[in-house]
Amino acid sequence: FPGKGLYYYNLCIMCLIFLFSMVSLLKDFVESEFFLIDGDSLFITCVSNVNFKKGQTLHFFYIVEQFLHDFIQKEAKFVIVFFKDAENMYFSYPELQALRMILIQHLEHNTDVTIHTEFSNCLSPEWEIFLQQCYPYFLIVSERGITPCQTDFLNIFIIHALQKKISIVQPSGIESDVLRIYGYCASSCYSHRLIYRLIIQRLQTGHSLFRFIHQTLSLLQNLWPEGADIRSVVCSISCSVTLKLYKKMLHKKPPTLKEAADLCRMLCLTVVLLQRLPLFQRAKSRIITHVWDSTLSPFLRTVKCEFFILKQLEARNNWNVNFTGLPDLTDNILWKNIAYYYEIEYSRGLNLELGDTLMQECLKLWNTVLLLSGDGDLGGLIPLRTTSRPFLTQKQTSPGGMCIIMYVFCFFLSDDPAVLSLSKKREFDELTHWHSARPLSDDFERTRCSSDAKSKDAKGRWEIQKLHHFYHVFGKSLIGSNRSVRIVQERKREEERWNNLSLYIEKEIKESPKSGIKRLEDFLQICPVKSVRFTAEMVGMDACFKLWMEYCLKTEAESRDISIIINLMKRIHIIHEKYSELLQNTHRQKLAKYLRYIGFDNLAHSLYPQVDKDISKYSVHMGAARFQLTYMGPYLFREERSDPDPRVQHFIPDTWQRELLDVVDNNESAVIVAPTSSGKTYASYYCMEKILREGNEGVVVYVAPTKALVNQVVGTVCNLFTKALPKGLVVCGTFTRDYRHDALNCQILVTVPQCLEILLLSPHNQKWVKRMRYVIFDEVHCLGGEIGAEVWEHLLVMIRCPFLALSATISNPEHLTEWLVLIKRYWQHVESTMENSGSSQNALKASKKQQRKRIEKSSHIVRLVWYKERYNDLEKYVCSLKDNDFLIEHYHPCAALTVNHIEKYGIPLDLGFSPRESILLYDAMVHVWPEWPRMQELEPEEFSCFKNKVVIMRADAKKYEEELKKEVIHWTQLDRTKVVNQLLEYLKPQTFDSSETEKRRMFPCFVEKLKEMDRLPAIFFSFLNSDSNARIQRIILWEAEIKEIKKNIKKHNEVSPECTYTDHTAVDNQTLMKILRRLRGTRQCYKLHSLLRRGIGYHHGSMEYEERQVVEMLFRLKHIKVVTATSTLALGINMPCKSVVFMEDSVFLDALNFRQMSGRAGRRGEDLIGNVFFYDIPLPKIQRLLKSNVPKLKGQFPLSISLVLRLMLLVAKANDKEDAKAKALSVLQHSLMSFKRPKIECMLKFYFIYSLQFLVTEGYLNEECVPIGYAGLVSHLHYHEPANFVLVSLLVKGLFHKLCIPISIDGKQTFSEDVMETLVVVLANLFGRRYLPPCVENFKKKFSLSKVTLDDLPKDFAAVVEEHNNRMQGNFGSFLLTISKLADMRKEYQLPLSEIDFSGKECEDSELVSHLMPGAESRTAVSPFACLSNITDQDLFDINVAMLQTINLNVKNIPLLCLNKYDKTGRKCPLNAYALNFYKHGSLLALTLDNWLNMGDAFNLIRDFALVIQSVSELCDDEDDNVVLAFKQLSEAFKTKLWKKRRY
């Protein structure tokens, strides 16, 4: 590369590196998320693994397979690519070149992983085509190679991928847990361009070695014609070729020919041991520290010619070699061990027998080597060592490495000194301060309280009144006015009203069909008299027919407006179905006449047979069935029940909705799975109403995953329910981490999972807990989420009352329901036991208990209500640019399928068609297979459910859809792959490519296009950072203004007020101003206000909740028509719209987000059909989004030491001990992770025991498991384990008191900036740990005054943390050893992916083997494959990958606070210094520039960090303590910078 070009290239890479952020790579729909793995990056990462010792081939393959198996186990789909040109990068490293070749052949021969080796490099045309066809979700590729040349090669690959809009993931930083895999990911940006070309000089290889190997292979093939073991082949060829070369070259320098022969003999013995010894015996190999003498390097390079041997074998198709042993081709440590024995121990007189079997095998192999080398003068096998020069030298080692103390402490023994010493510590009471015996508030009390109903302060009461008023307005926007009771007017009065309107409506239909029809339907909606509605429908039908006749008589062909016929048929459908009892012969005759005129003779004949003159000029020239499916899909009637349900006032519920009402009436629990917008939430409000009617004591808790959803539910509740309650009680309260009001004095509490958990585990709130009558879990699929999933699980297992669990996206609800049934049986047993034990209570209490038993008799039943049909259809469209205009093509759902997917998975259950799409599929099937046998049977006019049917029902269309799906699957079973491929290709939309710049420039015009198409209101989903949403909206506004200015440039000097997306009739000005007033004082007020007045808004996570509420309200009220949003609108927020637009591709646009986001379009009762537009999303990505299945819920690791402490606190301090104990046991015994998995259940029990052991030894529990000491501080900071335990260690050691020395300024005690900055560094190392990728160290920004990476802890603090970690390792080290007995050892001796088995019968007849493999070191909990690289139990906490793979535990579950985190290759991952930087300059904008955070993340991180400091300062409320004063000063500093200055 030229010097200057390389500079810009490195600058580009530097900018790229800081785009990396840790994300979850595999979302819930992983079977559809196809991605690529660069084979060389995989190779580099695994060969650089800190575990791996050079030469241990089998361990290397274990590392590779474990890496891949982790993805496959989580249902990932990927392919691996090895570029041909990359092979030459290893020319200077023959061992690595050989190992790479072995890896490729192993993956090809021994696994089912798809490998591509046909591409030269990333710039080849073939590779371009491959990317276009598959479009990977992301690419796993390393940014660092073994050589500078390889690093450049990989970085070119990275830039090329980003230019193709493919996200990049670093392999070395990949981490995993039970459910997910995480990695540093960089998303593609528009600015990436390919600015250089690849120049790689092809390196030449030696011809003599190739010639020798080719000749020798031919000889060996004659000796071993079939089934030869690859290890024997490689060993015999490499040894014989090496000896040939040594004999030919006659080296005078060592090693000599005889010494080379000795080394080859020992290599043959090594290979025989690899073939004959089981892995469990090899894992006992002794550890020696000697290394090969440097003089042997030429020999070792020559003998390692596996690459050339395998290359030659690859070209031979006529030799059947057994490749199973490829992963175990070499074992360098075993070879050295044998050399050590013969060089040192044998020479000292230790003579051990090899054993007859091994001797015979080794002799056979050595004789083959002699035969192939053509030199019989080298001697026989025995003695193995004929020369005396040392082959090994002692490795220089430095003392280091801390051994883990392995011990098991039986804490149940009261005479142990450690236990006795703990009994002297003061018992902890949750209400007593740990530091000064002052009252201590819990998490609930410390949450900011917005004044509640009990407030005596006048200002507080005014604040709550204002809040309730806003919630009333907010809720009104959610439920509208249709819930109000309508008074039925007299029939005569309605007839008079219709008579006054009818002529006007008829006239308006003629002049303006759209507005006339709307006016007619508005009247029909509010008219309660059926006969009057019938008359109005007849008038509307007549008007539409007359209008159609007038249009048909016009000469212009284009004048026919098909919407007139649609409205005519709509009226006919309604009259025929809903007013059949009012129809008379004259009416039927009229209906038949109109049907005959428009060409539907078969329908007319079925209604009223008659003959008419030629009326073909009025015909739509289409069959009746085809017309209804093509144009009337949104209007097709569902088979809805007509019988009202007295429990529901405002609509007639479906059968499945009545089942939900029955569940609530019977006091049962239910798992409710139904599509978005299907109406499942109604049962929640019915449940609330039931509890409110029963009395004033019962409480319903509504658990929502986000604060935005909490606010929405509160608004709805405030608007739906009013009730006269005793003073101090209210209907609705709220509790989130940021604020609360009326939480414990309400009957409906709306909260988030973490806050309900606080209440359930709080001993002093158990009286309130017993008031709970129902818990409603909204979006319960969060049980399988990335963050906080275990909290949802804790809630489900701890509540005793019935529940409703709602979700739209669970594929295994039966499994979830079965687990919940088991939990309810547990509680049934608990209650039965408690009732039996309480028989001695007095008669009054017994009477009350019997009464409660009668009320809650059915509360242990759990039903599954699963409704699969979406109420409104969703149609998808792909947008592309052609000649400065937008081409919007319909995307048929079948276009997302492939033949392979249909054969393997079938057609996804939720891949539904609209009726129009069924017709399109039928027509395509006829087109690609004209001789299709079932063509006539499935022709719409002949289909049994449609034939001669005046009104085709929605269920009929679904039956037709299912028949077509079955037929497509049948085609694949008939082996008509070519025809199916043609069908799927035919259905794909036509798109045109254009530059990224052009697409971005034209995006505002696209919004205008949607406006012209009447597809607004719309939500535009983007995964850009939060600032970009506001910028996009301003661009849209500017474009609209420019368009208006150009139109009126001659008449106006300012923008017309018509340049807006606002519907001025939707919201009156007074209401608008009242809503906008809520923006006062918010951070984004100045940006948002002007946009909202033009009908444009944005919605993202870092907005204040008042801002989000305003945007949501105005959108629901139809004042706003355009909103850009992130995933904040994905989870259940009620913002119905006509269209959803996906603006850009992103790693975060997975199928779960797609389903949640697209569900906003076409919600029930709002729109007839939903529209989804893909703008600048590649077609392969769209295919994967559409064809994926919904996720399965799997359990996370449910326990933590902090949780165990909180459970012990509950048991010790609750008034009802039995109830508290039952809750604790439920959490410990009924995790979803251990459901039907007894070994995991056993492992969790051990984890609990060792957690108790740790808490006792550390002084948090006494010998009776009663919390003492600092238990309160630790439990209140449970969110931040293990930092909460480390904080206590630092307090106990007095380090904070040593640091926080005040100074006096103007007579006031304060702390210097140095003290404050050091305190921030310490707290950021504990509570603000956000890692950067290791490569950041190579590209630190030298020009910034801000810090990029956080400083290490001061030495004295670091020493305490190390001490804490050592104690933790000592405790949990024995835990790991204990649970290792639960491992499946049969699988532990198999490679994870290829499942090649390395178990077998132990070799007992060889003294030498027993000597070499004594098993002296402890290796109980370490994988036997890792043992080959001398890994022992002492390395467990340092090397995560070394653990046994079948015990389902990650070292991350052990609460260590690692001072330094390293990736798989041993590189340090530095911490981001965002907290320190913000303390210094107080600017969030600076964090986005200097610390590579987007604005939303920066705000959330700083807010959370400030909350931690505030929590600690409040927990230590002792005004005379310097540490308390320092924390308070720091807390105030962060509050001031974050909330008052608001500097952006």
Side-chain angles (χ1 to χ4, degrees), residues 63-132:
I63 295 170
V64 172
E65 290 203 15
Q66 191 180 44
F67 182 93
L68 299 177
H69 182 255
D70 201 15
F71 279 103
I72 291 173
Q73 203 173 33
K74 295 175 174 65
E75 302 178 30
K77 292 175 66 178
F78 60 87
V79 299
I80 303 177
V81 179
F82 288 89
F83 289 121
K84 293 177 182 178
D85 291 353
E87 184 180 278
N88 298 311
M89 306 292 173
Y90 303 93
F91 185 69
S92 301
Y93 302 90
E95 290 186 12
L96 295 181
Q97 193 177 39
L99 191 58
R100 179 183 183 270
M101 176 58 68
I102 297 169
L103 173 61
I104 293 172
Q105 294 197 4
H106 168 66
L107 293 174
E108 288 178 335
H109 289 286
N110 298 326
T111 73
D112 295 326
V113 177
T114 303
I115 307 293
H116 288 279
T117 57
E118 68 271 25
F119 306 114
S120 299
N121 54 60
C122 65
L123 300 181
S124 65
E126 296 81 10
W127 178 249
E128 297 279 338
I129 296 170
F130 176 76
L131 287 184
Q132 289 174 7

Side-chain angles (χ1 to χ4, degrees), residues 495 498-499 524 530-542 579 582:
E495 287 176 347
W498 169 248
N499 291 334
L524 291 167
K530 193 171 186 178
S531 60
V532 177
R533 292 202 306 272
F534 172 69
T535 303
E537 290 283 7
M538 291 296 294
V539 170
M541 181 183 68
D542 292 341
Y579 303 100
L582 299 178

Side-chain angles (χ1 to χ4, degrees), residues 118 125 276 600 669 677 763 778 858 873 1166 1249 1307 1405 1524:
E118 68 271 25
R276 292 296 173 183
F600 302 158
S669 299
S677 79
D778 199 359
S858 303
D873 290 315
E1166 296 287 343
I1249 291 171
D1405 63 345
V1524 174

Side-chain angles (χ1 to χ4, degrees), residues 757 790-799 1198-1199 1203 1227:
E757 186 189 44
E790 69 283 355
V791 179
W792 289 81
E793 185 174 315
H794 298 160
L795 300 182
L796 285 163
V797 299
M798 280 195 290
I799 59 170
L1199 299 183
L1203 176 65
V1227 172

